[in-house]
Amino acid sequence: MQAPASTGKTTLVRAWEHRAATLDPELVVHWLTRSHHEALPACLRAAAEDGTHSVDHGSSPAQLVGSLSARPSPHHVLVVDDAHLLPQVSVDLLSDLLEEAPGSMRLVVMTRQRIGLPLVVLRLHGSAQHLTHAELAFDHRETAELIGLIAPDLAPDAVYRLDELARGWAGPLVMSARAEAAGRGGATHTAMQLGTDFLEHLLADDWDALPPAVRHTLLATCQESDIGPEAAALLTGDLEASAHLAELAASGTLVGSTVVADGPAWRVHPLLRELMRRWTAPGGAHVDVVVAAHARAARGYAARNDAAPALRHARLSGEPALVVDMLTEYGPSLLCAARTDEVSEAFVALPTTVCEQPHVLAIDALLRRANGDVNGAARTAARAAASAVGVDADPALRADLALLGVWQGRYGWTDVRAAIRTATDILGCHHGAESHHVLQGLSLVRSAWLMVELAAAQAWTGDLSGAEIHVRDGLVAARSLRHHRLIAAALAHRAMLETIGGSFQTAAETAREALAEAATAGVSGDPYVGRAHLALGWAAFHELQMRSASDHLARVEAAPAAMADPLLVVMAALLRARLLAEDGRLDAAHRVLTGRLEIPEPIPLFLRRLFGVVRGQTAMMAGDAEALRLQIKDFRALGLHSEAQILEAFQVGVGGEPGAAVEMLDLLIDGEPTEETVAVGARALRVALCLRSGDLDRAHALVPDLLARAAPQRMLHLLTVCLIARARFLRVLRDEATRDGGHPWAQTVLDALSEKDRQFGEIGAPVDATGRGAVFKDADTGVLVTLTPRELDVLGQLALGGSYADISQALYVTENTVKTHVASIYRKLGADRRGKALSIARDHGLV
């Protein structure tokens, strides 16, 4: 039996002796305790030669000689207690006897340490059993039963804590339970105090007997819960450290073997670890050992570029200069990996004066930003920039300040274009015919992070090509590092850029990849993830999957950190407006489009264009001629002539001149517009107006080209404009889907649009010379107001007092369509309720 002191060895053998005696009355157990150890050589020699005496339990050495000399008997057992204190000559004699005549006696040996008996050979022959501390330790049930006998009123959580602390070690467990029964302090504190005091007393001799290298290994690693081979070598500087720990574990002392994710490891008993921590605390006898060990480990992990353990050991060393070095080198890398707690712990270890250094302030600002403290991050970033003035900044500090600069610039807190220039200078940007970067003294992690942040700033300023370059190069760097969070961030940015460019399904694929990388990194709630969900929402919208689009948008809107990004704010607002319009809530959509957004000015041109597109389409759905006119004027002022031409063509076409509108669109399409959404939208409107003008043959001829342009990015929503000639368009689609060689996407479009409400269809109902709606001048503003024929129909039904359901049945449309028209009528008439709208309508002779 090989185990530390007070693990119950003697108690167990005494209990065995008591039970065995009841089964075998002839059993005689001879105890050789520490006080009789010197007699063992004589006893063994006598037994080996020719003893004939029989002695009773508790015999003197002389009587024991006679018993051992007799013929071996299964009823006689020799118990050697505290065998680790035997003289070497006695150990040698025992070994010889067991090797030469293992069947000559029955022997129980109790020891705290390995004593060199031939156990392996005996165990192989089934002649010996080896019990260690692992077998002797109390399990959870036994611990609870023992504590219940000593301290029956102890609460279950206190029993659990004692169990976790003692880990089955009988001596400290009994002492702690007795202390609790006597009411001396809380369970955890009392147990730890009594346990370590007890342990220090027990280990005094054993600790001093350990070789110096073994003691050094235990002290150097005492702050580690699990000690792997790599950590043992780095902390101790001794390549044999693992062998020392393995030997201690094998000998059944206070070190146990375990397995962690990286492989085998060792675990010191918590009481011994606590005792050594006392010795190595500030002012302790062995504090220098631990300081040197952690400093050595920090540098060792740094040499391997292993960020987290390098920073951790620097912090545990208590050396501020070393902490600053590791924080400067690895802080951004850990923050990129969302390991903010480790960086925060490093700051706790630093004196206040050290925290005012430019490098440390920059990392602190990045940490505050990562923790969502935006205002604190901005203030600390300003202090970092101010403290760096006149300092010969190294590449790391310049990169960190530039990263903070483009982030703040994107939000309008600093000059974003100046920040972009600084960042491109640090990255050594050369974006001519062959784009590349010259990175001098800059780590790949910092480079990748700065590129992704720079791309976001460039996108906000409208430099989409520059943003695409830096997202691409940042993604390459992140993938080379296998840095999943950076990969997710770069992919999410790319998905947003692809959405802006009209590549909706490409963006959706990129977004799904970003979400997968974020899940791998464990950062599914990361602010960057909002971009991925927004890209998926836009893709779903264009596929007419409105519920899916709403779900993705809700994820974005539920994340305050994500919504702080100005690009996300605008793109989310635009998608919300489109979804509201699709639901027939045009007034709500109008409020979103005209409401004030908390974003910095100026808004880039591409976003002003998207705002205009959504406003224009909402006006088309509402049949609001004045809103269309204003949007056309705005497009012209911005130089967006293609977008203006589409709205003009719609106005002309539904106003009674579809042929002229088709000619306008022919000219636009022949000019090959660069925006793919413009190209598809123009083609869709041209088909719709051909159908309205009765030119069915040309519509049939144009549909394959329309489908070919819309199919790759599944731009179903742009095709809904064709529902201004719903019946004819669905018939053309059906013909295309069934003809030989027809476009394979025709059936998909047919199925989707067959279920679509006729919002555009009602607005653009065929007109003739006698049914062109009504035009009147607003008395207050002098502006011409136009009501479409269908709006006049709805107005007439309102005058009859019908409900929305009644009107939908009377006009053969859905209730949502009725709501859309009513909202448009109210807005055009300047009314907020039915009575006022009817009063104004009567004044103008409309009802």
Side-chain angles (χ1 to χ4, degrees):
M1 304 176 69
Q2 182 180 340
S6 292
T7 50
K9 299 186 297 296
T10 302
T11 302
L12 180 61
V13 175
R14 289 292 188 189
W16 167 81
E17 178 186 8
H18 177 73
R19 290 195 302 270
T22 61
L23 300 175
D24 183 4
E26 299 181 33
L27 178 70
V28 178
V29 178
H30 307 280
W31 283 79
L32 197 66
T33 60
R34 180 186 305 192
S35 60
H36 289 163
H37 278 179
E38 70 281 358
L40 183 60
C43 292
L44 294 178
R45 288 193 188 94
E49 291 170 0
D50 187 27
T52 58
H53 301 285
S54 177
V55 296
D56 296 326
H57 173 66
S59 305
S60 66
Q63 292 172 312
L64 188 58
V65 170
S67 177
L68 291 174
S69 300
R71 186 170 63 180
S73 168
H75 303 294
H76 289 257
V77 178
L78 173 62
V79 177
V80 181
D81 200 0
D82 290 323
H84 55 284
L85 300 177
L86 283 171
Q88 187 59 44
V89 62
S90 298
V91 175
D92 293 342
L93 285 171
L94 270 178
S95 298
D96 293 342
L97 179 62
L98 292 174
E99 288 177 347
E100 295 173 8
S104 64
M105 62 190 309
R106 298 175 69 190
L107 182 67
V108 175
V109 176
M110 291 181 285
T111 178
R112 297 183 193 178
Q113 301 168 7
R114 185 178 297 178
I115 59 173
L117 297 179
L119 293 178
V120 175
V121 175
L122 292 172
R123 291 173 70 185
L124 288 174
H125 287 86
S127 301
Q129 183 178 4
H130 184 200
L131 299 181
T132 66
H133 179 51
E135 286 83 15
L136 295 176
F138 282 35
D139 61 24
H140 299 304
R141 181 189 60 78
E142 293 165 340
T143 295
E145 185 177 349
L146 175 62
I147 293 176
L149 294 172
I150 300 171
D153 297 329
L154 203 59
D157 60 335
V159 173
Y160 174 80
R161 287 195 297 271
L162 289 178
D163 185 19
E164 285 294 299
L165 181 65
R167 298 283 177 89
W169 194 358
L173 188 61
V174 170
M175 290 190 65
S176 300
R178 286 174 178 169
E180 290 306 311
R184 288 181 292 176
T188 302
H189 173 75
T190 302
M192 183 66 76
Q193 181 67 43
L194 288 173
T196 50
D197 290 346
F198 179 53
L199 184 62
E200 190 164 13
H201 171 72
L202 289 175
L203 288 183
D205 294 335
D206 290 345
W207 178 264
D208 292 338
L210 291 173
V214 176
R215 293 201 302 269
H216 176 76
T217 296
L218 288 171
L219 289 169
T221 59
C222 70
Q223 291 184 322
E224 305 298 296
S225 297
D226 296 309
I227 312 158
E230 180 181 71
L234 289 173
L235 283 163
T236 62
D238 182 1
L239 295 178
E240 297 298 318
S242 295
H244 299 326
L245 292 169
E247 184 175 358
L248 288 172
S251 67
T253 54
L254 294 175
V255 175
S257 298
T258 186
V259 177
V260 294
D262 298 332
W266 297 276
R267 182 175 294 168
V268 177
H269 193 284
L271 290 176
L272 174 57
R273 193 167 70 244
E274 179 64 24
L275 178 60
M276 290 190 293
R277 285 178 176 176
R278 287 191 195 179
W279 294 343
T280 57
H286 301 288
V287 62
D288 292 343
V289 175
V290 167
V291 171
H294 286 297
R296 184 187 304 111
R299 295 186 178 95
Y301 281 114
R304 304 178 186 196
N305 204 33
D306 200 344
L311 182 58
R312 174 178 176 269
H313 287 290
R315 172 176 60 81
L316 291 174
S317 76
E319 296 184 3
L322 183 60
V323 176
V324 170
D325 287 346
M326 297 303 164
L327 195 59
T328 301
E329 182 67 24
Y330 298 115
S333 175
L334 291 170
L335 293 176
C336 269
R339 302 178 73 166
T340 56
D341 288 347
E342 286 147 303
V343 180
S344 297
E345 289 169 357
F347 272 96
V348 172
L350 289 176
T352 304
T353 53
V354 174
C355 291
E356 292 301 312
Q357 296 178 11
H359 291 85
V360 181
L361 283 171
I363 302 296
D364 188 15
L366 292 173
L367 172 63
R368 291 173 184 274
R369 178 193 168 189
N371 285 331
D373 181 10
V374 175
N375 292 330
R379 288 193 300 269
T380 308
R383 287 166 55 205
S387 66
V389 174
V391 175
D392 186 14
D394 57 26
L397 176 57
R398 292 182 65 220
D400 294 344
L401 292 175
L403 199 154
L404 291 164
V406 292
W407 166 64
Q408 293 179 92
R410 198 166 86 239
Y411 289 84
W413 302 330
T414 59
D415 185 342
V416 64
R417 297 189 184 278
I420 288 173
R421 287 194 297 272
T422 300
T424 54
D425 179 58
I426 291 171
L427 290 170
C429 295
H430 295 274
H431 303 312
E434 294 184 2
S435 175
H436 67 280
H437 295 90
V438 180
L439 305 174
Q440 295 183 345
L442 201 58
S443 71
L444 204 53
V445 171
R446 273 188 167 94
S447 302
W449 192 2
L450 183 54
M451 286 179 189
V452 173
E453 289 287 349
L454 175 58
Q458 288 176 313
W460 183 249
T461 61
D463 182 7
L464 298 181
S465 61
E468 289 169 0
I469 289 170
H470 287 112
V471 162
R472 179 199 65 201
D473 292 352
L475 183 57
V476 170
R479 281 178 167 156
S480 71
L481 293 165
R482 297 183 179 179
H483 198 304
H484 296 289
R485 190 183 187 216
L486 270 179
I487 294 171
L491 287 170
H493 277 293
R494 172 180 279 181
M496 204 72 264
L497 293 173
E498 289 166 342
T499 297
I500 292 166
S503 299
F504 302 110
Q505 297 309 314
T506 302
E509 287 300 316
T510 303
R512 281 188 279 270
E513 189 180 352
L515 293 177
E517 292 287 347
T520 300
V523 291
S524 295
D526 196 276
Y528 290 120
V529 171
R531 294 173 181 262
H533 281 295
L534 196 51
L536 287 167
W538 275 92
F541 173 82
H542 277 278
E543 281 195 275
L544 301 182
Q545 302 294 328
M546 301 306 172
R547 176 166 296 186
S548 175
S550 294
D551 290 343
H552 284 294
L553 180 57
R555 287 173 177 261
V556 177
E557 293 173 337
M563 286 307 296
D565 184 286
L567 182 61
L568 260 70
V569 169
V570 175
M571 293 297 290
L574 290 174
L575 182 55
R576 174 58 64 198
R578 304 201 82 165
L579 289 169
L580 289 169
E582 284 296 313
D583 193 39
R585 298 161 64 188
L586 294 177
D587 278 351
H590 180 73
R591 285 194 296 273
V592 171
L593 292 171
T594 56
R596 179 176 176 77
L597 299 176
E598 295 298 326
I599 54 175
E601 297 286 348
I603 299 175
L605 179 62
F606 75 88
L607 283 178
R608 295 182 68 179
R609 172 189 169 274
L610 288 176
F611 260 114
V613 168
V614 177
R615 288 193 190 106
Q617 291 183 343
T618 304
M620 290 163 64
M621 295 175 70
D624 191 337
E626 180 60 19
L628 278 175
R629 185 186 67 80
L630 292 174
Q631 189 55 59
I632 292 168
K633 181 180 178 181
D634 190 36
F635 275 149
R636 294 290 186 198
L638 294 173
L640 300 172
H641 301 294
S642 296
E643 288 79 357
Q645 283 180 267
I646 291 177
L647 294 186
E648 287 176 338
F650 178 85
Q651 233 180 2
V652 170
V654 299
E657 301 180 61
V662 169
E663 291 179 5
M664 294 169 61
L665 292 168
D666 285 339
L667 290 172
L668 172 59
I669 293 167
D670 289 344
E672 289 295 329
T674 56
E675 293 285 348
E676 189 61 17
T677 52
V678 171
V680 174
R683 283 170 167 79
L685 183 57
R686 181 172 63 176
V687 168
L689 294 175
C690 283
L691 291 171
R692 282 178 61 83
S693 68
D695 193 350
L696 300 184
D697 290 340
R698 190 171 185 214
H700 272 94
L702 292 173
V703 161
D705 174 62
L706 170 62
L707 296 176
R709 296 298 293 258
Q713 299 301 328
R714 303 180 68 81
M715 298 183 190
L716 271 168
H717 187 268
L718 290 180
L719 304 189
T720 59
V721 71
C722 295
L723 294 179
I724 63 174
R726 177 188 176 87
R728 291 177 178 178
F729 183 57
L730 295 181
R731 187 162 60 248
V732 170
L733 282 176
R734 193 174 295 109
D735 293 343
E736 181 66 18
T738 55
R739 76 176 177 85
D740 291 339
H743 197 283
W745 201 44
Q747 187 62 50
T748 300
V749 178
L750 177 62
D751 293 341
L753 296 190
S754 294
E755 300 176 0
K756 182 75 178 154
D757 282 347
R758 296 181 59 196
Q759 292 171 328
F760 276 112
E762 302 310 320
I763 294 167
V767 296
D768 55 31
T770 61
R772 299 185 61 176
V775 179
F776 64 93
K777 182 178 290 188
D778 186 284
D780 296 327
T781 64
V783 173
L784 291 176
V785 178
T786 302
L787 294 184
T788 66
R790 182 54 82 182
E791 285 173 347
L792 286 177
D793 292 341
V794 172
L795 190 59
Q797 293 294 323
L798 289 173
L800 295 175
S803 66
Y804 287 163
D806 295 334
I807 297 171
S808 69
Q809 291 180 3
L811 300 179
Y812 302 100
V813 295
T814 66
E815 284 192 49
N816 274 343
T817 299
V818 173
K819 292 176 183 177
T820 298
H821 290 310
V822 170
S824 179
I825 291 168
Y826 284 3
R827 184 170 61 256
K828 291 178 180 181
L829 297 181
D832 57 2
R833 60 185 184 277
R834 181 183 296 206
K836 186 175 181 181
L838 290 175
S839 175
I840 295 171
R842 291 189 182 96
D843 291 343
H844 292 284
L846 303 178
V847 294

